[in-house]
Amino acid sequence: MAKYRLEEASTGRAGCQNKECKDQKIKILKGELRLGSWVDTERFQSFFWRHWGCVTPKIIASLNETIEESSGSEEDKDYTVLDGYDELSAENQEKVRQALEQGHVDDSDWKGDIEMNRPGKTGFRTRTPKKKNAGAEEEDEEEEKPQPKKRGRKKAEKEDTEEAAPKRAKRGGRKRADAEETAPRRIKKQS
């Protein structure tokens, strides 16, 4: 079975497996160019489809490896070894050929961040840091945040209260003493 398949979508039912499209439940429309990756697990065997604009440079590199393995050399690339390439329209064949030669999908087709659509890059979107503030702003924010409550008393407070009040007896001991004073004594019966 072929590892990849290129085709123009026959229906609009398949969902794109790119994370962003999958989260938004975006379907691949009828007639759109798509790439399928063969998935073979214990439970099922199927193609996972992606929009042509969601194919990353890493996947293009894998497609190039597949072509080189079956063609034998880098100069004599035979794109027809890709399953479904023959059945594509001339326009879509040109898109695929151009992407394989340059190592990435054409920028006009790419649906992610342009910086990520270059050979050697992985992913679809650039990652942004969680906080992008200047150093001074971060210091102000830290001062405004309330300090977390600590369990127990602070050392300074403890020293002040020790001088003013006598130490308390342990809780368990005091209760026992009080209980012994008020409770009637039981006398053991001798048998």
Side-chain angles (χ1 to χ4, degrees):
M1 187 78 201
K3 188 175 177 182
Y4 295 105
R5 175 158 178 75
L6 289 161
E7 71 178 33
E8 292 157 357
S10 56
T11 65
R13 295 181 311 192
C16 181
Q17 294 300 308
N18 179 24
K19 185 181 181 328
E20 291 185 7
C21 290
K22 196 173 186 177
D23 290 346
Q24 296 174 13
K25 298 180 181 175
I26 297 174
K27 301 285 184 183
I28 301 170
L29 301 177
K30 184 176 180 177
E32 272 189 288
L33 179 60
R34 65 184 185 175
L35 175 75
S37 301
W38 183 251
V39 177
D40 188 1
T41 67
E42 293 176 4
R43 296 184 304 185
F44 66 90
Q45 299 169 342
S46 178
F47 280 107
F48 275 18
W49 298 101
R50 288 177 176 255
H51 293 105
W52 181 248
C54 294
V55 177
T56 64
K58 190 173 182 178
I59 296 171
I60 295 289
S62 183
L63 284 170
N64 275 326
E65 287 175 19
T66 303
I67 292 169
E68 289 171 12
E69 285 174 5
S70 53
S71 299
S73 70
E74 204 171 300
E75 293 89 29
D76 300 330
K77 288 186 178 181
D78 182 17
Y79 299 112
T80 59
V81 297
L82 292 174
D83 191 29
Y85 181 82
D86 296 342
E87 301 160 15
L88 297 176
S89 66
E91 177 187 342
N92 284 336
Q93 283 182 354
E94 181 57 34
K95 280 183 182 182
V96 172
R97 191 177 314 114
Q98 185 178 2
L100 292 169
E101 288 173 2
Q102 62 190 14
H104 61 87
V105 174
D106 195 40
D107 289 342
S108 61
D109 294 329
W110 179 247
K111 294 185 177 196
D113 291 338
I114 299 295
E115 312 80 71
M116 300 306 289
N117 189 26
R118 296 294 175 257
K121 297 283 186 174
T122 56
F124 198 68
R125 299 271 181 216
T126 54
R127 293 183 180 173
T128 56
K130 290 182 181 178
K131 285 189 177 181
K132 243 187 173 178
N133 297 332
E137 292 176 13
E138 288 179 12
E139 290 174 8
D140 292 340
E141 288 178 13
E142 288 177 11
E143 290 175 10
E144 292 175 10
K145 290 180 184 177
Q147 295 294 326
K149 293 182 179 179
K150 294 183 179 178
R151 301 181 95 184
R153 294 185 281 187
K154 292 182 181 176
K155 196 171 191 178
E157 289 179 30
K158 190 174 182 180
E159 291 172 0
D160 292 341
T161 56
E162 284 179 0
E163 292 174 5
K167 290 187 178 182
R168 295 181 190 163
K170 290 185 179 178
R171 182 180 279 178
R174 178 173 257 182
K175 282 186 180 177
R176 264 190 246 117
D178 291 342
E180 288 175 2
E181 291 176 6
T182 58
R185 293 187 178 215
R186 294 184 183 171
I187 302 173
K188 293 182 181 179
K189 289 184 181 179
Q190 294 180 347
S191 26

